Amino acid sequence: QVRPVESGGGLVQAGGSLRLSCAASGSITSIGAMGWYRQAPGKQRELVAAISPGGSINSADSVKGRFIISRDNAKNMVYLQMNSLKPEDTAVYYCNWGRWRSGTYYPSNYWGQGTQVTVSS
């Protein structure tokens, strides 16, 4: 089964930037809405940002003005540009393919394996 595959995580100092990418593990015709989630140790997985097929965006208040989600429909990829990173952004970041309805993102069971982002102070 084709799944999302994340890349781009790593260790960065506070104030730095990282760009996460999410591709399909195999051939796929098209992908609908896509989202980035994160899960820090001891915390629940939370939505970071999501983007509809048409480019509408939802993002968490904690990342507004710092993180930018974008997509390349021709390549079936979604990106998360993370700027001004803070230690509290440290988490495993997951890509998800879901649905978009009335401005809300609904995740599916299509999850990637995650990529670790660690921000040092």
Side-chain angles (χ1 to χ4, degrees):
Q1 191 177 30
V2 180
R3 292 281 179 181
V5 178
E6 306 94 339
S7 61
L11 174 64
V12 64
Q13 288 188 331
S17 298
L18 282 174
R19 188 192 193 209
L20 305 183
S21 299
C22 177
S25 62
S27 177
I28 190 167
T29 303
S30 64
I31 301 172
M34 294 185 274
W36 286 99
Y37 285 72
R38 67 185 180 187
Q39 187 167 20
K43 295 187 177 181
Q44 289 189 331
R45 192 171 297 188
E46 63 175 356
L47 177 66
V48 176
I51 186 167
S52 75
S56 297
I57 291 172
N58 274 345
S59 59
D61 289 343
S62 60
V63 305
K64 284 181 179 176
R66 300 189 298 123
F67 291 10
I68 302 170
I69 188 171
S70 62
R71 62 187 292 159
D72 184 332
N73 290 333
K75 298 180 179 179
N76 285 322
M77 294 192 67
V78 62
Y79 307 96
L80 187 67
Q81 178 66 43
M82 305 186 294
N83 302 319
S84 302
L85 282 160
K86 304 175 181 180
E88 51 264 43
D89 295 318
T90 295
V92 178
Y93 284 70
Y94 297 90
C95 179
N96 179 267
W97 297 338
R99 300 179 67 182
W100 190 275
R101 183 179 298 172
S102 301
T104 300
Y105 181 78
Y106 295 91
S108 70
N109 290 327
Y110 288 99
W111 293 96
Q113 81 289 348
T115 185
Q116 177 71 46
V117 172
T118 303
V119 184
S120 62
S121 57

